[in-house]
Amino acid sequence: MQAAKRELQEKTGLEGISLTLRGHVYIEALMNGEHVTKALYHIFSGSLQAATPVTASRRGECLWANYRNYPASEMMPGYLHVKALLKEHPSAMFFAELSEEIDGRE
């Protein structure tokens, strides 16, 4: 849990957010049917009561945006699937294995 809170703070600047472990998801990215990567994601959720900050670091800029304004090709592989899993399992832990074809994005 502490690692998740630290990552949230490093990536977004948010602190003091109560997080709940919601599930685990293996996501395999494929390009032209070839294995690119497979990673295990630990999925946490939390609620924010204040304004959302925008942060920048040497890793890049973090911003808050409506995901509906972006094509799936600009999202992390599996993002929309994980979002659906969170909605499908509002109060239960889940586990999933997903494969997603990517289109050469970096």
Side-chain angles (χ1 to χ4, degrees):
M1 188 68 70
Q2 292 304 318
K5 288 181 178 184
R6 184 178 59 250
E7 285 296 314
L8 180 65
Q9 194 282 324
E10 288 175 6
K11 303 290 190 293
T12 68
L14 296 173
E15 294 179 311
I17 305 296
S18 179
L19 297 177
T20 302
L21 178 62
R22 299 288 303 281
H24 304 282
V25 181
Y26 272 111
I27 300 175
E28 178 181 30
L30 306 167
M31 186 180 299
N32 301 320
E34 297 288 325
H35 173 83
V36 175
T37 187
K38 187 171 187 176
L40 173 64
Y41 293 83
H42 306 284
I43 310 300
F44 291 85
S45 66
S47 295
L48 179 65
Q49 303 301 322
T52 54
V54 175
T55 62
S57 72
R58 60 187 170 93
R59 294 181 180 170
E61 181 181 2
C62 294
L63 61 104
W64 298 94
N66 187 330
Y67 72 95
R68 292 178 185 94
N69 295 335
Y70 295 89
S73 62
E74 292 186 22
M75 297 179 194
M76 294 282 295
Y79 171 77
L80 294 174
H81 290 106
V82 170
K83 188 161 180 50
L85 286 167
L86 287 165
K87 189 173 184 177
E88 287 174 34
H89 305 279
S91 59
M93 288 275 292
F94 57 83
F95 174 80
E97 293 187 66
L98 309 170
S99 290
E100 186 170 310
E101 185 73 25
I102 59 175
D103 58 4
R105 59 188 152 188
E106 295 181 23

